[in-house]
Amino acid sequence: MRFIDEAVVTVKAGDGGNGIASFRREKYVPRGGPDGGDGGSGGDVYVIADDNTNTLVDYRYTRRYDAGRGENGQSKNCSGKGADDIFLPVPIGTTIIDTETDEVLGDMIEEGQTLLIAKGGDGGLGNTHFKSSTNQAPRKATSGFDGELKVLKFELKVVADVGLVGLPNAGKSTFIRQVSAAKPKVADYPFTTLVPNLGVVDIGRHRSFVMADIPGLIEGASEGAGLGIRFLKHVARTRRLLHLVDVQPIDGSDPVENANIILNELERFSPELANLPQILVLNKIDQVADEDLNELCTHIVAELGWTGIVFRTSTLTGEGVDAVKYHLMNEIEREREREEEDPIFAEAQKERFERLEAEVRLNTEAQREAYRAARKAQREGAALIDNDNDDDDGVEVVYVP
């Protein structure tokens, strides 16, 4: 199944049925009076968080959803039948945005959570409602009201406590394979991981957290290079960032420079994201001789000016991996307990994540607009070159790449 994390859909709630003007017709009742029934209500449109749905791929192929129309009223004061509501299943972690107003209608973060996104129209009134002492035979009835029509954007962000970031081939996929049951593809070439992978890290009885392996960033990702920031938004919901650095890259590059590339891209994309608590993991220590390892790791930390927590691991052999996952579990549990005990801290956390969500969304759209503008300029530039090929002296100019 393709991993689709964005979709734009049009939803139309059902229109209300019309009320009718009708009069009672019965033997021996010469003046039966009005008995026109009301129209039924149109169907509402809801989204529902479904744990069995992992992608928005269905909404790439079916882009419009219409609820049914309410039935018209009938005589004998019979109201029309209301239309059934429709429910659109989305993965947990989906944000619903109104494209016209840019308003966030809701975040689907719990299994079974429902959200009304388009309200069906009310039914029209039958002529029974308009009778009075001065108008005993009203012939007035009203039409049903239109249901809401909205164009919505579904954005899926994985719900994870820890996000793995690092250059391609830093060992992120191998790390998540070591600590969870997730089985992302692992190979000795860059960009092996093309979509986010989720894994549940089980520490013991009732102790677990979710980790997300995000496709590798490269220099210039915040400006669209490589996979760009297409998947970087998926770390917007995390509590911690686990920054993996290859201590001895096979291409001979400087691990300090590689680490700075990731830090700079995070800062350019979202300062709020860059301020998330980070843990530095110096990975692939099995590739360094024991007598050189301590000096190399000390040098990397010193050159980075890193004052936070540092771990040394080999995701291939599993060395040091347990220490990382137990540390993460303890940190996450302490943070969760503090949120439950301290309402002020919980509110501050909520506001921080809301700021982060807004910043990530804004910067993602800005990068897309810049990418579209660059492509447009490229196409216009190519057309200009073609027009300049026609020389007045009849000499044909051929451009060779």
Side-chain angles (χ1 to χ4, degrees):
M1 179 183 292
R2 294 177 60 197
F3 182 86
I4 301 296
D5 59 357
E6 288 186 359
V8 176
V9 299
T10 301
V11 295
K12 173 67 169 68
D15 298 335
N18 299 326
I20 69 165
S22 173
F23 296 91
R24 183 180 178 187
R25 294 289 185 265
E26 190 175 340
K27 191 176 183 180
Y28 306 120
V29 185
R31 291 182 177 87
D35 68 349
D38 301 338
S41 299
D44 300 331
V45 183
Y46 293 85
V47 291
I48 181 169
D50 182 9
D51 195 32
N52 296 319
T53 303
N54 300 316
T55 177
L56 297 171
V57 65
D58 291 341
Y59 300 106
R60 282 293 182 94
Y61 299 105
T62 305
R63 295 175 178 265
R64 183 178 176 106
Y65 296 86
D66 294 81
R69 180 182 183 276
E71 293 183 357
N72 295 333
Q74 301 176 27
S75 60
K76 299 182 180 181
N77 289 316
C78 292
S79 298
K81 181 182 178 182
D84 293 334
D85 300 331
I86 61 173
F87 293 82
L88 307 181
V90 296
I92 294 176
T94 301
T95 301
I96 314 300
I97 304 167
D98 189 327
T99 59
E100 183 176 353
T101 63
D102 285 334
E103 177 188 1
V104 177
L105 302 182
D107 280 325
M108 313 304 292
I109 57 176
E110 296 179 0
E111 165 68 14
Q113 178 184 350
T114 58
L115 174 69
L116 175 65
I117 56 175
K119 176 67 177 172
D122 292 330
L125 301 178
N127 63 340
T128 305
H129 292 273
F130 300 100
K131 66 181 179 180
S132 67
S133 59
T134 58
N135 185 11
Q136 296 184 8
R139 298 182 180 276
K140 178 181 179 182
T142 60
S143 301
F145 293 88
D146 292 338
E148 291 183 317
L149 173 67
K150 291 184 178 180
V151 180
L152 303 174
K153 184 176 184 180
F154 295 170
E155 286 187 354
L156 171 61
K157 299 184 184 70
V158 297
V159 181
D161 299 296
V162 178
L164 292 174
V165 296
L167 286 178
N169 274 27
K172 301 185 297 299
S173 296
T174 308
F175 187 93
I176 201 171
R177 288 172 69 100
Q178 282 279 3
V179 300
S180 73
K183 301 300 179 187
K185 183 179 180 180
V186 174
D188 58 353
Y189 54 84
F191 296 109
T192 309
T193 303
L194 297 177
V195 298
N197 292 291
L198 284 179
V200 177
V201 182
D202 190 4
I203 302 298
R205 186 175 178 82
H206 305 304
R207 299 187 73 201
S208 63
F209 62 90
V210 180
M211 180 176 289
D213 168 25
I214 306 301
L217 300 172
I218 63 172
E219 188 171 9
S222 60
E223 300 173 357
L227 294 176
I229 56 173
R230 179 182 172 192
F231 297 116
L232 191 56
K233 63 186 176 185
H234 290 285
V235 298
R237 296 181 187 268
T238 61
R239 298 173 179 270
R240 297 286 187 277
L241 294 180
L242 205 60
H243 184 177
L244 268 67
V245 177
D246 185 350
V247 295
Q248 197 168 61
I250 194 171
D251 60 0
S253 58
D254 183 6
V256 175
E257 183 178 343
N258 293 343
N260 280 324
I261 286 174
I262 298 300
L263 296 174
N264 292 336
E265 292 304 319
L266 291 174
E267 180 68 32
R268 289 174 185 171
F269 175 66
S270 168
E272 193 73 38
L273 180 61
N275 287 332
L276 280 177
Q278 288 192 45
I279 297 171
L280 182 66
V281 177
L282 302 179
N283 191 33
K284 301 187 180 182
I285 59 174
D286 57 296
Q287 298 182 5
V288 183
D290 292 341
E291 59 271 17
D292 300 329
L293 179 60
N294 189 61
E295 181 181 352
L296 176 60
C297 292
T298 303
H299 168 75
I300 294 173
V301 173
E303 287 296 311
L304 287 174
W306 192 269
T307 57
I309 299 172
V310 182
F311 286 95
R312 303 176 185 181
T313 65
S314 168
T315 53
L316 183 63
T317 64
E319 181 180 354
V321 171
D322 284 346
V324 177
K325 69 178 188 180
Y326 279 105
H327 171 79
L328 288 170
M329 186 74 263
N330 292 335
E331 289 288 306
I332 292 170
E333 285 179 336
R334 276 195 290 267
E335 193 168 285
R336 289 173 179 169
E337 290 173 1
R338 186 178 174 187
E339 288 175 355
E340 293 176 358
E341 298 170 357
D342 187 350
I344 297 177
F345 177 74
E347 185 62 26
Q349 285 285 85
K350 180 181 177 182
E351 292 177 355
R352 179 169 70 92
F353 281 115
E354 288 177 350
R355 289 196 308 271
L356 182 56
E357 290 266 354
E359 192 174 81
V360 166
R361 185 175 299 110
L362 179 64
N363 292 344
T364 301
E365 289 300 323
Q367 192 221 41
R368 284 179 178 155
E369 289 299 322
Y371 175 76
R372 294 188 189 106
R375 288 296 300 261
K376 182 179 179 181
Q378 186 180 24
R379 290 193 299 268
E380 291 175 349
L384 182 61
I385 290 176
D386 290 341
N387 292 333
D388 289 343
N389 282 352
D390 299 328
D391 291 352
D392 294 336
D393 57 3
V395 176
E396 181 182 3
V397 180
V398 179
Y399 291 87
V400 180

